[in-house]
Amino acid sequence: MKTITHTPVRKLMALAIPVALALGMASCDDSESYSDLLRDEEKAVNWYLAQQEVEVEVPEDGKFKTGKNAPYYRMDEDGTIYMQVIDPGDPDDRPEVGDKVLFRFERQNIKAMYNGMDPGSYGNMDNLDSPLGSTYLFYGNTTYPTTTQFGTGMQVPLDYLGYYSEVNLVLKSYSGFTGSTFQQEQSSCIPFLVNVKYYKPEY
């Protein structure tokens, strides 16, 4: 096991975090301070993770425990991203920086769960006819809105796993979705549980 360090791609993605924090601070609800919202988010995430097995370090050999009962691994030093590997995909077929990666996802509001509400779910995991349609990103490239709107956290699994992998991610707000459709989520500091499957485009 080793202390978590950023790969070059993750260093690039991490640059977006201070920007997201600044946006959140500038747009929070006047009735609750930003520190209050962050504290509520932290409580909700800790509540969820307390029900799971958690590893605070990434395996040194990159061999994650896998399956629906696998632990959640803390993927960054600040604890904004946790990953459970359900299926590692093809270790011999991994995207390179700039490659297009298709993905499908379904996510749930952890803060709603913590407050005893039915969070429902949102995504295109089982329905590509949803308003989202087909979703994709360009691995390691933050210049395309199709990539940046899904935040930094969605790319982290690709630093370790191959195409056709499946993970569950716990994403705190400033590592989560950042597109215009999702700005209210960031300003309200809402964490999400996201199930994601990654695919290789067929040309």
Side-chain angles (χ1 to χ4, degrees), residues 51-183:
Q51 303 171 65
Q52 317 296 326
E53 180 184 350
V54 176
E55 297 281 352
V56 296
E57 296 179 330
V58 173
E60 186 172 355
D61 58 5
K63 294 182 179 179
F64 294 86
K65 297 177 183 177
T66 64
K68 294 184 178 180
N69 295 317
Y72 279 82
Y73 293 87
R74 189 182 69 180
M75 302 306 294
D76 66 330
E77 294 174 356
D78 295 325
T80 68
I81 305 165
Y82 290 81
M83 178 176 76
Q84 179 189 51
V85 182
I86 298 173
D87 187 332
D90 186 347
D92 298 320
D93 191 6
R94 296 173 55 179
E96 297 182 358
V97 173
D99 285 351
K100 184 177 182 178
V101 180
L102 306 177
F103 66 91
R104 296 185 187 182
F105 74 94
E106 183 174 38
R107 66 188 191 136
Q108 295 179 299
N109 182 329
I110 295 176
K111 189 178 287 188
M113 296 182 198
Y114 174 68
N115 290 323
M117 302 166 59
D118 180 359
S121 62
Y122 173 80
N124 63 352
M125 183 64 77
D126 300 315
N127 181 17
L128 288 179
D129 292 327
S130 73
L132 281 168
S134 178
T135 44
Y136 60 92
L137 54 81
F138 292 95
Y139 175 55
N141 190 320
T142 59
T143 62
Y144 293 103
T146 52
T147 297
T148 58
Q149 69 174 321
F150 297 109
T152 58
M154 294 288 278
Q155 296 215 38
V156 168
L158 299 172
D159 290 342
Y160 303 93
L161 307 175
Y163 286 110
Y164 312 107
S165 56
E166 179 181 1
V167 301
N168 283 326
L169 296 172
V170 171
L171 299 179
K172 291 184 180 177
S173 56
Y174 44 82
S175 291
F177 292 16
T178 61
S180 58
T181 305
F182 313 108
Q183 285 179 352

Side-chain angles (χ1 to χ4, degrees), residues 3 32 38 43 52 83 103 128 138 164 186-187 195:
T3 302
E32 192 171 10
L38 282 177
K43 287 179 181 177
Q52 317 296 326
M83 178 176 76
F103 66 91
L128 288 179
F138 292 95
Y164 312 107
Q186 280 220 322
S187 64
N195 176 244

